Amino acid sequence: MSAFTGFSPALFQFLQELRSNNNKDWFADNKERYQQQVQQPMVAMMTALQPGLQAISPHFRVIAKAHNGSLFRIYRDTRFGHDKTPYKTHAACQFRHAVGKDVHAPGYYLELAPEHVIIAAGIWLPPTPVLNQVRQHIVERADQWQSIRTDATLTALLGGIEGEQLRGMPRGFSQELPHPEDVRRKSFIVSTTWLPEEAQQPYFFDELLRTYAAASPFMSFLCRALELPF
């Protein structure tokens, strides 16, 4: 068992209150709560996670810091969307490949929100050249991809391959190629959803690592497609 014994109900309570008070004045008055009830537990979890994720793959980084690390900022980018609320109402972190520079790199993911907890792995909306490398690898290694898609442990813990799809086949790829439904994807993700109450239990941390480990064949395939070590 890990020394990390689960998240506190206070973390989810803070996020719920933030949802109802998503403004700069309220957040300024409650910033110390945010640091104590959200940032500090997330950093503690990441610190505990480092050796376990290194055992799964030494090439994915857990940067256990409140700022400029694996934890996403609470501040929303409001420049382009209609929603101008200044803060995210979930806490999230991504443990990306050592060569990855942004959220679009291969990585493992954890999100805590008032109504759900998401554990995920994969690559989200990468640039088209990167995306086409994955697509081409699926076509060239169709049997390997099929074995990953149907892997019993992966499907039991993380369900099937997800990711938004193009309506038609991408340029340069034919409908007659293997796995056309996956070749049309713009992201390649596996995920599972838990209840916040489950994330507060001592067993959650070990299940988190077990879920990340179950994604290993999938993540290894993505890395090979991008000529990255796993």
Side-chain angles (χ1 to χ4, degrees), residues 31-92:
K31 188 171 183 178
E32 187 173 344
R33 282 182 62 205
Y34 168 69
Q35 294 167 340
Q36 294 176 350
Q37 297 174 359
V38 179
Q39 281 186 325
Q40 291 178 14
M42 292 293 281
V43 171
M45 181 279 298
M46 291 189 289
T47 300
L49 185 70
Q50 283 176 324
L53 194 59
Q54 284 286 293
I56 293 171
S57 170
H59 301 288
F60 287 83
R61 302 173 66 198
V62 181
I63 307 174
K65 297 165 57 179
H67 306 283
N68 301 316
S70 298
L71 181 65
F72 285 114
R73 286 162 47 90
I74 194 70
Y75 306 100
R76 294 183 62 253
D77 185 347
T78 61
R79 292 174 297 172
F80 307 111
H82 294 295
D83 183 357
K84 299 301 182 182
T85 51
Y87 305 105
K88 301 170 187 173
T89 56
H90 63 268

Side-chain angles (χ1 to χ4, degrees), residues 42 57 84 103 121 128 143 148 166 230:
M42 292 293 281
S57 170
K84 299 301 182 182
V103 69
T128 299
D143 290 344
I148 290 167
L166 297 169
F230 183 81

